[in-house]
Amino acid sequence: MRPFIQFESVSKAFGSLTVVNALDLAIKKGEFVSLLGPSGSGKTTILMMLAGFERPTQGAIYLDGKRIDHLPPYRRQMGVVFQNYALFPHMTVAENVAFPLQMQRVPRAEITRRVERALDMVKLEQLKDRRPSQLSGGQQQRIALTRALVFEPSVILMDEPLGALDKQLREHMQLEIRELHKRLGLTIVFVTHDQSEALTMSDRIAVFNAGRIEQIDNPQVIYDTPRTRFVAEFIGETNLIEAKIASIDNRIARLSLGAGLSAHAHAADGLSAGQTASFSLRPERIRLGMAPEGSNALDMTITDCIYHGDHMRVQLTRDDFSLVARCERLAGNWTVGAPVVASFDPSDCTVLAQ
Amino acid sequence: MFRALQTTFGIAVVIFLLMPIFAILPLAFTSSVFLNYPIPAYSMRWMHELTTAEVWRTSIVNSLIIGGGATVLATVLGTLASLGMRKGALPMVGLLRTVFLLPMVVPAVVLGVGMQIFLVRIGLASTYLGVIVAHAVLCIPFVIVSVSAALQGIDPSIERAASSLGARPVTVFRRVTLPLALPGVVSGAIFAFATSLDEVVLTLFVAGPNQRTLARQMFSSIRENINPTVAAAALLLIVGTLCLGGLGALLRWRQGRKTAAAVA
């Protein structure tokens, strides 16, 4: 049996420019999958192909076992939420939400009832006679979402829906969408270039680069064990350091980091001893001042210390080797210029191919 | 200093442009049989003449028939052309657009000669339909310019949204595209009607004696027996055009406000 949504070696080219390259992607029913990547990585094109606005140059797309890549958008039953909301400016809020139901020839009385219930769900029933231009960005966003949900589509597609909102509202809407996803058991494909948005909302994240999936997994795996240098750099913040692999034993590599320092780290696939690789270490995984048994311990000097309110950023240096550590507060009486032991567990850092 | 010069020059140009219009208007109410100042006494004599004399009355009716027909034809065809040229699906859209807009710059005399020969060939010379078609050719560019601008203002994702919500292409057009482009279509139609109303040169070539329009009648009455009825007719045309222009401006203003609101 096929997965609920399946891309089967789908490629899309605009002229000589290949935007999506032999993509295989399977999405389960009820899953929240984020397509994450920089602009131009092909993620929006994939969404547009799923919605039916673009046709694959090659390959096939299946929904619920049926091939859909030749179907026009109006026969796909997908609710699409656009970045700029795309509300109908000449219709009221209630007319906007009623539109998909009218298209399905739902009886008038039932339309009224369902529109009311849907607006009630997002707590905007008092705005039903307003025009979209009279609403704030967050309200427009909610109406766009309601309009995409009201006809009970099999999939909800969102194209950077929160991009135009300010930070606070964005975080609020993230929670609201997550809540709706859980409560209604929706299948959501969510395109974003904001990694923190993808991390907080998704069941799984597909990280795109240049038309290909670099890694697809749940947020924790993506964050903790990035498989490529691109993923490590794109998701969260990381110390990315060129290192030489001295030996590999049972997926643990011994590295020489430079300045006479060495460390053990979790090794990605396809690496061998003697190779030059990238060593990735998250700033918050570095401990200062203590080195538990079995952890890597580096003797460093504090060269800078920046206060960020809820945390501190500490710059550590030894000759030409340097690291950034993030800690909640600076314990003890370390000051700039003081020597310190920086430690981290081998499982908290990764060696990646360059 | 420079600013004052600018203002003076601007006012001078406006006066130069408007003087002929203001000079002719009071003569519509003269009691004299001559078209000149000073006006001996004011009377409604020539307004009365305009609305009762057979030649003037039929010419007004003809103007309305031909103007109305040309407007409908030009608006429908111009809107369709704008829609077709909008989606980048057609090859050589730029060339096509230039061809459609050509009647704006081609001398009306050239167009008139060509039209006359063509209409005789297909048996439409000196018919209402012939004049309507000829006028529509002149009107279409105005509709295309106006409707294209309105279509350009529509966010394509709004139409995509409608499509993804289950609307077939015809429904998308009827429920979304057309209502949003309507101000542009209406203002195009207004331009078209105004263009047809004051078209003389083309009418001289293609219209027979039965399709004499108001503008054409004014033109010949100036040459044949000049009297203040011409001034009365001019007043009628100016008032009519001002009303249409005002309506157009109102629509543009409302559209501008809507766009501004959508952006904000």
Side-chain angles (χ1 to χ4, degrees):
Chain A
M1 196 178 129
R2 289 186 183 279
F4 188 55
I5 298 172
Q6 186 181 26
F7 282 75
E8 206 174 62
S9 56
V10 170
S11 296
K12 175 70 186 177
F14 294 103
S16 61
L17 183 73
T18 305
V19 182
V20 177
N21 200 343
L23 171 85
D24 287 306
L25 174 64
I27 294 168
K28 290 194 284 285
K29 199 176 173 81
E31 200 175 19
F32 191 132
V33 173
S34 288
L35 312 182
L36 175 67
S39 57
S41 59
K43 56 191 194 307
T44 296
T45 308
I46 291 162
L47 200 76
M48 293 298 122
M49 286 194 284
L50 193 51
F53 301 127
E54 300 284 357
R55 280 217 179 173
T57 317
Q58 256 168 22
I61 305 171
Y62 297 88
L63 171 70
D64 209 3
K66 285 186 283 289
R67 190 166 171 176
I68 58 161
D69 49 274
H70 59 281
L71 288 181
Y74 55 90
R75 289 184 51 198
R76 295 198 184 192
Q77 289 277 317
M78 293 187 186
V80 185
V81 181
F82 293 85
Q83 179 168 19
N84 52 3
Y85 321 132
L87 293 173
F88 306 128
H90 57 300
M91 297 184 199
T92 64
V93 165
E95 285 166 347
N96 263 284
V97 178
F99 187 85
L101 298 174
Q102 289 166 351
M103 292 304 114
Q104 293 189 332
R105 303 186 189 286
V106 174
R108 189 167 296 191
E110 198 191 330
I111 289 181
T112 317
R113 204 164 43 78
R114 279 170 72 176
V115 167
E116 244 164 52
R117 202 179 51 195
L119 287 174
D120 194 50
M121 191 175 68
V122 290
K123 301 181 187 69
L124 288 176
E125 68 274 50
Q126 73 281 7
L127 300 178
K128 66 177 166 34
D129 296 321
R130 298 256 191 107
R131 293 282 166 116
S133 57
Q134 297 168 296
L135 304 180
S136 72
Q139 289 168 337
Q140 290 188 41
Q141 177 57 62
R142 260 186 239 150
I143 297 303
L145 194 60
T146 312
R147 187 180 67 176
L149 287 173
V150 73
F151 67 114
E152 287 159 14
S154 48
V155 188
I156 305 282
L157 309 179
M158 301 193 188
D159 183 15
E160 310 222 5
L162 309 178
L165 302 179
D166 63 53
K167 189 168 175 292
Q168 266 193 343
L169 196 54
R170 194 162 64 224
E171 282 168 6
H172 179 77
M173 286 303 294
Q174 285 173 10
L175 295 180
E176 209 164 293
I177 292 172
R178 225 174 93 104
E179 220 273 310
L180 278 174
H181 166 244
K182 289 225 178 78
R183 185 148 52 100
L184 306 177
L186 304 168
T187 308
I188 297 181
V189 183
F190 189 97
V191 163
T192 181
H193 65 264
D194 181 339
Q195 41 100 5
S196 75
E197 198 165 280
L199 287 172
T200 52
M201 298 177 78
S202 333
D203 294 328
R204 281 196 300 156
I205 301 173
V207 185
F208 280 87
N209 182 28
R212 287 178 180 281
I213 295 182
E214 291 266 332
Q215 187 171 0
I216 175 163
D217 220 316
N218 68 53
Q220 198 178 347
V221 172
I222 295 264
Y223 187 84
D224 287 341
T225 46
R227 265 218 310 259
T228 67
R229 200 187 140 117
F230 176 83
V231 176
E233 270 184 307
F234 195 75
I235 312 271
E237 195 193 349
T238 193
N239 291 291
L240 208 60
I241 293 150
E242 198 174 286
K244 205 165 165 70
I245 302 175
S247 64
I248 295 187
D249 181 25
N250 198 18
R251 299 201 60 121
I252 296 290
R254 211 172 76 79
L255 303 166
S256 67
L257 296 171
L261 296 170
S262 66
H264 292 276
H266 177 86
D269 296 328
L271 292 171
S272 55
Q275 220 175 336
T276 307
S278 293
F279 167 71
S280 163
L281 171 62
R282 303 280 183 200
E284 75 276 10
R285 301 286 153 92
I286 300 177
R287 290 177 298 254
L288 295 182
M290 50 176 164
E293 194 71 20
S295 67
N296 294 300
L298 308 177
D299 292 319
M300 311 283 288
T301 308
I302 298 177
T303 49
D304 201 3
C305 203
I306 302 159
Y307 181 67
H308 278 261
D310 58 340
H311 69 271
M312 309 272 294
R313 277 174 187 279
V314 184
Q315 178 83 38
L316 306 164
T317 316
R318 172 155 165 180
D319 300 338
D320 59 344
F321 174 80
S322 69
L323 285 176
V324 174
R326 177 189 158 127
C327 35
E328 289 196 359
R329 64 177 68 82
L330 220 45
N333 48 3
W334 291 304
T335 50
V336 173
V340 70
V341 177
S343 77
F344 48 91
D345 295 331
S347 57
D348 277 347
C349 51
T350 328
V351 201
L352 305 162
Q354 282 224 297
Chain B
M1 173 60 195
F2 183 67
R3 173 122 197 112
L5 260 174
Q6 257 184 334
T7 316
T8 319
F9 183 72
I11 292 171
V13 170
V14 170
I15 290 174
F16 176 74
L17 289 174
L18 291 183
M19 266 324 268
I21 296 173
F22 285 118
I24 189 85
L25 291 186
L27 291 174
F29 300 105
T30 185
S31 60
S32 145
V33 290
F34 299 110
L35 199 60
N36 55 11
Y37 287 101
I39 294 170
Y42 289 96
S43 97
M44 289 300 282
R45 179 178 169 190
W46 302 110
M47 292 304 279
H48 191 251
E49 168 83 9
L50 181 70
T51 47
T52 49
E54 190 57 32
V55 274
W56 287 103
R57 272 184 50 181
T58 39
S59 73
I60 293 172
V61 171
N62 278 344
S63 268
L64 292 177
I65 293 173
I66 290 163
T71 302
V72 171
L73 192 61
T75 306
V76 171
L77 294 180
T79 304
L80 288 176
S82 310
L83 284 168
M85 290 186 293
R86 178 188 182 207
K87 309 265 157 88
L90 279 175
M92 294 191 293
V93 166
L95 184 69
L96 211 57
R97 186 174 292 274
T98 312
V99 171
F100 275 127
L101 298 185
L102 222 47
M104 270 176 148
V105 286
V106 171
V109 185
V110 177
L111 209 57
V113 175
M115 277 288 180
Q116 191 186 31
I117 296 168
F118 177 63
L119 290 178
V120 168
R121 276 281 174 89
I122 62 171
L124 283 179
S126 303
T127 62
Y128 278 104
L129 186 59
V131 184
I132 288 173
V133 168
H135 277 201
V137 169
L138 275 186
C139 298
I140 282 176
F142 293 97
V143 178
I144 288 182
V145 167
S146 171
V147 175
S148 291
L151 288 175
Q152 200 134 46
I154 300 176
D155 178 356
S157 68
I158 290 178
E159 287 164 296
R160 286 186 158 188
S163 172
S164 74
L165 295 170
R168 289 161 179 279
V170 175
T171 316
V172 174
F173 176 72
R174 195 171 50 81
R175 295 281 312 268
V176 178
T177 315
L178 189 59
L180 289 177
L182 199 59
V185 175
V186 173
S187 86
I190 290 170
F191 276 122
F193 190 75
T195 306
S196 165
L197 212 55
D198 74 358
E199 173 47 46
V200 176
V201 181
L202 202 55
T203 317
L204 279 173
F205 280 97
V206 297
N210 287 331
Q211 292 91 41
R212 193 163 268 227
T213 62
L214 185 58
R216 166 82 172 80
Q217 171 61 27
M218 286 169 70
F219 183 73
S220 52
S221 84
I222 287 171
R223 288 192 319 172
E224 287 151 19
N225 63 351
I226 186 155
N227 71 35
T229 325
V230 175
L235 179 73
L236 187 70
L237 269 184
I238 287 164
V239 169
T241 312
L242 278 182
C243 286
L244 286 175
L247 193 61
L250 185 76
L251 281 169
R252 269 198 306 282
W253 177 71
R254 274 188 46 185
Q255 193 179 19
R257 245 188 12 163
K258 228 183 263 176
T259 323
V263 168

